[in-house]
Amino acid sequence: MVSIRGTHQGQGALDTQAWLNSLVLREQDQPRLKQACEALEDDRKAAAQEMVEILCDLAMDGDTLLAALLVQPYRAKQLTRDQVVDQYGTTLAALLDSVIDMDAIRTLHQSAASAGQVDKVRRMVLSMVNDVRAVVIRLAESIVELRAVKDADEETRVLVAKAAANLYAPLANRLGIGQLKWELEDLSFRYLHPDTYKRIAKLLDERRIDREDYIRDFVAGLEAGLKAEGVDAQVYGRPKHIYSIWKKMSRKHLAFDELFDVRAVRIIVPRLQDCYAALGVVHTQFHHIPKEFDDYVANPKPNGYRSIHTVVVGPKGKTVEIQIRTQAMHDEAELGVAAHWAYKEGGAGGKDAGLEGKVAWLRKILQWQEEMADAGDLVEELKHQVVEDRVYVFTPKGDVVDLPAGATPLDFAYNIHSMVGHRCIGAKISGRIVPFTYQLQTGDQVEILTGKEPNPSRDWLNPHLGYVRSSRARAKVQHWFKQLDRDKNLAAGREVLERELARLDLDMSHAQVAVEKFNMLNLDDLLVAIGGGDIKLNPVVNYLNSHYFKREVTDDEAVAEIINQKSSANRKAGKSPFVVQGVGNLLTNIAGCCQPVPGDDIVGFITQGRGISVHRTDCDELLKLARKHGERVVEVDWGDTPGQSFGATLRIQAADRNGLLRDITAILANERVNVEAMRSHTDYNNNVATIEVQVSLQKLDTLGKVLARINQIPDVFEAKRITQK
C-alpha cells in the first residue's frame, strides 16, 4: 500500500516553522530550509514540502532537503546558478545541476537518441555516479507527481504512471530504495490498472481483521520461541504491497487465496550470526516449504538486497512468509543508497563501500561504453540495465519467452539453456529459416536447430555483427571460451595479438605495458583473457598504439599542426557542422589527431587564432591539453544537418588473390557506401596487398559494420579506419 504523509493528507498550508518542527532535522539545517521555503511561491510550496517529507523519511542530509525545495524554481530558471552559489554555496549548486541532468532519463523512452541526447544521458549517468543524491531527489519528485495527478484526467494519470512504472520504479529497485520503489509501483499500478488494483485492495481489506489476528498470535508464539533459545529479535507483521501481490499472482498463475506471502512476518536481529540462529528456531518450530526458501544473505540480489526468505506452515495449516535480516540489512533494503547520508556530522557522510556497490553498475556501463564505437550504445545499455523493453516470443510447445527488444535467435537459444545456445547451428521462425542476426518480433514462434557438439563462434561477441543482443547471452558465450583449456586460450590470444603487434612493428615484449592497464597479474593472463574473449583485442591494440606512437603535444603550435586545415563542405557553404555550447559562432576545425566523425562523442578546445579544434573525448592529445589548459575545453555537439555525410579512409591488408577487390566492393555496395577514391599496392615478395579506400557514409554505425564484414572476408588480415596526415 502507498505511504501517507502530512502534506499528502490535505491538511492545508502549515506555518513554515511549525512544519519544520514536525520534521526530524539537525538544528543547523533549519535556518537554511526556512529561508528557502519562505522564498517559494505558494503554488510550488506544497509539492516542495512533500518532497522534503519523503526525503526526511529516508534520513537524507540537509543539502538534499534544501535541493528538493529549490529544484523547481531552479529548473524554471527563476533561480540562477549564481544566486544559489551566493546564498548556499557551490556544493548545493552542483547538486541542483545533477538533478537537472536527471531529466535526461526521459530520453530512454525514445527509440533512437541523437548525439546531443546521448551526451545528456552520459552526463546523467556521470551525475548519478558522482552524487547519487540527485537520483533520490528525482525519485521523490516522481512520487509527488504521481500523487498530484490523482484527480487529473485519465490521459494525464496514465502518462505520469507509465514514466513511474517504466523508469523510476526500476531505477529505485536498482539502487535498493525499497521504500520508494513500493510506492512508485503501487501508485502507478493504481492508475494503469484501476479495476485490478481495486479488486486486490478489496480482497486484502475483506480479510484484514482475520489476518491481523492470525499474525498477532503467530508473532507472539514466534517471539516466545526465539526468546527461549536466547535469540534477541524484533518480530512484527509486515505490510503487503498490491503491485507485488498482483505480480506474483500473474507470474505464478495463482489465485489470491493460493499466495504464500499474503501473511508475512519480519524478524530483525542485531548480528549476522543471529539471522541463522533465528532461522533454525523458525524451522524447528514450524514445517517449512523447501522450494520457497531463498538465502539472499549468502547470495545477495544484484541491487545489494540481503535477507533470508522462508515460507512455513503455521497454525491452522496457513502459510506464512518470514523474512530474517539484521537492522543494517533492513536499512539497506528500505533506504538503499539513501542509507549512506543518515545525518552524519559535517553534512553528507560521504561514500562508503556499500554505496560504491550500489552504483558500480553505472561505472561498468561507462567503462563498457568507452570501448565501443557507437556512442548511442550507452543509451541502449542503460535501457537494458534499467528500463529494458521486451519482446515476447513462443517456443514450439507454445511457452512464452520474454527477451530484450532486438533479441536474436541466439539470445532465445541461450535463454532456454546454455547448451542449446552453444550447439545452435540455425533457427526457424514459423517454419522459415532465418539468419542468426534476425531480430525477433513479438509473436514469433522460434525453433532452434542444434548440432551434436557445442561450437560457439567468437564472432558472436562482435557487437557490430549483431549476433547477440542480451547481456545474458553474451556472458554465456564469454564463459564458454573462458572455460576452454587455458593453453588453447593462451595460444589463441598470443596468435591474434602477435599478428596485430606485427602490423605496428612491435613484438610481444612491448605488450607488457598493457598488463597493469587491464588489471592482469602477468602477460600470460592478459593473453588468456584475449583468447577467452574476456578482453577485446581492439582496446589492447589501441592502448599499445597510443602508448608507443602518440607524440607529445606541448603548446598551441603543436595543436595547429594536427588540425586538419581542409574545411568541410558544410563550412565552405557557411555552415558549421558543430554546435558550440556557451560561446559565439567561432571557427571550428576537425582535429587531425583523432578525426572525429558524426556520432563520435566530441569536445572542443579553444586554440589561439585558429578557432576551436574538435576532438573525440577519448583523444590522448586532448587529454594532455586539458591537463594544461582545462579552462579552454568547451562542450561541442554535432549540429542538426539532415543528410550530412562524412568521409573516412579504410586500409585493408590481405593476401593477394583473384576476386579480392570484387569481394570488398560488394560489401561496400551492399551497405550503400559511396567510394570516392581507391589505391592499392602489392608486396609481391610477401604476396600481401594493401588497399586504401576513401569512402563517404551517412552513419557512424555503417562504418563499424563495414569493417567487421570486410574483416571476415577470406584472406583479409586486417581492415581498419586510418587517419590521413
Side-chain angles (χ1 to χ4, degrees):
M1 303 292 284
V2 299
S3 302
I4 304 293
R5 297 182 177 86
T7 54
H8 186 46
Q9 297 179 66
Q11 294 180 354
L14 294 175
D15 173 77
T16 300
Q17 188 59 54
W19 173 71
L20 289 171
N21 291 339
S22 70
L23 304 175
V24 181
L25 298 172
R26 295 183 309 174
E27 186 176 343
Q28 60 265 41
D29 289 332
Q30 284 213 18
R32 294 198 306 164
L33 292 173
K34 183 176 181 180
Q35 175 190 354
C37 190
E38 290 179 343
L40 287 173
E41 297 177 359
D42 290 341
D43 60 338
R44 297 189 186 276
K45 186 171 294 187
Q49 289 180 336
E50 194 169 354
M51 286 175 61
V52 170
E53 292 177 9
I54 294 171
L55 295 169
C56 271
D57 285 349
L58 298 175
M60 297 300 290
D61 67 298
D63 279 349
T64 307
L65 304 181
L66 187 57
L69 288 175
L70 298 177
V71 67
Q72 292 186 57
Y74 191 74
R75 183 184 284 116
K77 303 189 184 303
Q78 295 174 346
L79 185 66
T80 67
R81 195 179 198 281
D82 289 341
Q83 289 174 319
V84 174
V85 171
D86 290 341
Q87 296 181 49
Y88 305 105
T90 55
T91 300
L92 188 70
L95 178 55
L96 284 169
D97 287 336
S98 294
V99 178
I100 300 305
D101 284 340
M102 279 296 301
D103 292 344
I105 197 171
R106 296 186 180 92
T107 299
L108 303 185
H109 262 320
Q110 302 170 4
S111 58
S114 67
Q117 290 167 330
V118 169
D119 184 61
K120 289 179 182 177
V121 171
R122 182 179 291 104
R123 290 204 304 270
M124 179 190 74
V125 176
L126 285 170
S127 296
M128 293 164 72
V129 169
N130 292 332
D131 196 340
V132 79
R133 291 177 297 176
V135 191
V136 183
I137 293 172
R138 189 66 191 93
L139 294 175
E141 195 172 16
S142 178
I143 289 177
V144 173
E145 291 170 356
L146 277 169
R147 295 173 179 174
V149 298
K150 178 181 178 181
D151 298 320
D153 59 89
E154 184 179 0
E155 182 179 357
T156 301
R157 289 199 307 269
V158 168
L159 287 174
V160 174
K162 280 186 175 180
N166 296 335
L167 299 175
Y168 299 113
L171 188 55
N173 177 61
R174 194 69 197 243
L175 295 174
I177 314 176
Q179 190 165 312
L180 298 187
K181 169 183 176 286
W182 294 122
E183 187 164 359
L184 286 164
E185 288 179 339
D186 273 12
L187 281 172
S188 56
F189 181 62
R190 178 178 182 176
Y191 298 151
L192 294 173
H193 304 280
D195 293 338
T196 306
Y197 179 92
K198 291 175 183 177
R199 178 169 59 85
I200 296 175
K202 184 179 179 181
L203 288 170
L204 281 172
D205 190 59
E206 286 174 349
R207 296 163 172 78
R208 180 173 57 84
I209 295 176
D210 291 341
R211 188 169 58 252
E212 288 176 353
D213 290 342
Y214 182 89
I215 290 296
R216 190 182 305 112
D217 294 339
F218 184 90
V219 166
L222 184 55
E223 281 181 329
L226 290 167
K227 186 176 182 180
E229 295 297 327
V231 179
D232 180 23
Q234 301 176 49
V235 186
Y236 56 87
R238 65 182 182 88
K240 288 304 299 177
H241 301 280
I242 292 179
Y243 175 78
S244 67
I245 291 174
W246 170 79
K247 192 174 181 181
K248 185 162 289 188
M249 290 171 62
S250 301
R251 186 175 68 249
K252 296 190 175 182
H253 306 289
L254 298 174
F256 182 83
D257 290 334
E258 297 175 299
L259 292 176
F260 287 134
D261 56 352
V262 171
R263 291 168 293 275
V265 169
R266 182 171 289 142
I267 300 174
I268 306 294
V269 294
R271 302 173 304 168
L272 174 61
Q273 55 265 42
D274 295 330
C275 290
Y276 294 98
L279 179 65
V281 173
V282 169
H283 283 182
T284 300
Q285 191 168 342
F286 305 100
H287 173 70
H288 75 283
I289 302 174
K291 68 177 182 179
E292 296 295 330
F293 175 79
D294 292 294
D295 187 352
Y296 297 120
V297 172
N299 300 291
K301 289 185 178 182
N303 66 353
Y305 175 86
R306 294 180 298 160
S307 188
I308 295 174
H309 292 195
T310 187
V311 176
V312 300
V313 180
K316 302 178 184 178
K318 296 182 177 180
T319 56
V320 181
E321 183 194 58
I322 300 176
Q323 294 181 352
I324 306 172
R325 59 178 67 155
T326 65
Q327 185 63 51
M329 293 174 190
H330 178 68
D331 290 341
E332 285 283 341
E334 294 300 304
L335 306 182
V337 293
H340 302 272
W341 279 276
Y343 295 107
K344 298 179 183 176
E345 288 299 322
K351 299 181 180 179
D352 58 24
L355 174 61
E356 291 295 316
K358 285 289 191 300
V359 296
W361 59 284
L362 290 169
R363 298 187 189 280
K364 288 179 181 178
I365 291 174
L366 289 174
Q367 183 180 4
W368 170 85
Q369 188 271 334
E370 288 170 359
E371 300 174 358
M372 306 302 294
D374 188 354
D377 285 334
L378 173 63
V379 179
E380 293 305 314
E381 180 67 4
L382 197 56
K383 282 182 183 179
H384 296 326
Q385 291 285 341
V386 183
V387 291
E388 192 171 76
D389 293 328
R390 314 297 291 181
V391 294
Y392 300 90
V393 296
F394 297 94
T395 67
K397 293 183 178 180
D399 296 328
V400 178
V401 175
D402 69 310
L403 296 166
T408 66
L410 282 171
D411 290 307
F412 175 89
Y414 278 107
N415 187 277
I416 300 300
H417 194 277
S418 297
M419 288 308 298
V420 175
H422 293 335
R423 295 167 53 209
C424 181
I425 59 173
K428 291 182 178 180
I429 303 296
S430 302
R432 178 174 56 88
I433 294 287
V434 296
F436 281 159
T437 54
Y438 172 84
Q439 292 192 0
L440 301 176
Q441 306 296 317
T442 293
D444 283 346
Q445 186 180 64
V446 188
E447 179 185 353
I448 298 298
L449 309 177
T450 57
K452 292 183 179 180
E453 299 295 331
N455 189 30
S457 168
R458 283 191 172 86
D459 286 338
W460 294 357
L461 297 172
N462 189 330
H464 294 303
L465 299 179
Y467 286 115
V468 295
R469 178 76 169 182
S470 67
S471 56
R472 176 178 178 177
R474 186 174 293 108
K476 289 186 175 182
V477 177
Q478 290 172 336
H479 182 72
W480 164 263
F481 288 111
K482 187 175 182 179
Q483 294 303 311
L484 290 177
D485 183 81
R486 177 182 170 89
D487 291 339
K488 291 182 179 179
N489 283 338
L490 180 62
R494 185 181 300 277
E495 179 184 353
V496 295
L497 185 58
E498 281 182 339
R499 187 174 64 201
E500 294 299 322
L501 290 175
R503 297 192 184 100
L504 297 176
D505 198 22
L506 300 173
D507 57 37
M508 191 58 70
S509 65
H510 292 93
Q512 188 66 40
V513 297
V515 171
E516 183 177 353
K517 167 70 176 176
F518 291 91
N519 299 316
M520 294 292 158
L521 296 176
N522 51 56
L523 183 57
D524 280 358
D525 286 348
L526 177 64
L527 296 176
V528 169
I530 293 173
D534 292 330
I535 294 179
K536 295 183 176 65
L537 179 63
N538 283 346
V540 178
V541 174
N542 291 339
Y543 174 74
L544 294 174
N545 185 40
S546 171
H547 181 82
Y548 288 108
F549 297 112
K550 288 289 185 180
R551 53 178 172 166
E552 289 292 324
V553 176
T554 57
D555 51 31
D556 282 330
E557 295 300 321
V559 177
E561 291 179 5
I562 61 174
I563 291 178
N564 183 353
Q565 296 301 315
K566 295 183 179 181
S567 301
S568 65
N570 280 330
R571 195 157 63 82
K572 286 181 180 179
K575 298 179 182 178
S576 172
F578 309 107
V579 176
V580 182
Q581 305 295 332
V583 297
N585 186 23
L586 297 182
L587 176 70
T588 55
N589 295 280
I590 294 178
C593 51
C594 55
Q595 288 193 327
V597 296
D600 282 342
D601 189 29
I602 54 175
V603 70
F605 184 83
I606 302 175
T607 64
Q608 293 180 348
R610 296 183 181 275
I612 294 176
S613 61
V614 180
H615 299 254
R616 292 208 307 258
T617 53
D618 60 354
C619 175
D620 287 343
E621 312 295 0
L622 171 70
L623 296 177
K624 294 171 186 175
L625 290 168
R627 280 194 289 268
K628 287 186 175 183
H629 308 288
E631 73 283 357
R632 289 160 65 182
V633 176
V634 295
E635 291 186 28
V636 179
D637 195 4
W638 293 99
D640 185 14
T641 52
Q644 176 185 339
S645 61
F646 67 89
T649 301
L650 314 183
R651 176 176 292 161
I652 303 154
Q653 290 184 309
D656 191 26
R657 63 170 173 83
N658 291 331
L660 175 63
L661 191 58
R662 178 199 62 211
D663 293 344
I664 294 171
T665 55
I667 288 176
L668 296 175
N670 289 338
E671 293 297 329
R672 299 183 179 178
V673 175
N674 293 325
V675 177
E676 296 182 343
M678 181 180 293
R679 57 180 176 271
S680 65
H681 169 74
T682 301
D683 180 351
Y684 292 102
N685 292 330
N686 296 313
N687 193 39
V688 174
T690 302
I691 303 172
E692 291 190 1
V693 188
Q694 293 181 14
V695 297
S696 175
L697 311 97
Q698 295 292 328
K699 296 190 299 181
L700 183 63
D701 239 14
T702 308
L703 180 59
K705 292 178 181 177
V706 165
L707 289 174
R709 291 195 166 101
I710 292 177
N711 271 309
Q712 288 188 310
I713 295 176
D715 301 318
V716 169
F717 304 141
E718 178 189 55
K720 65 180 181 179
R721 169 184 163 199
I722 63 171
T723 298
Q724 290 291 302
K725 296 294 184 182

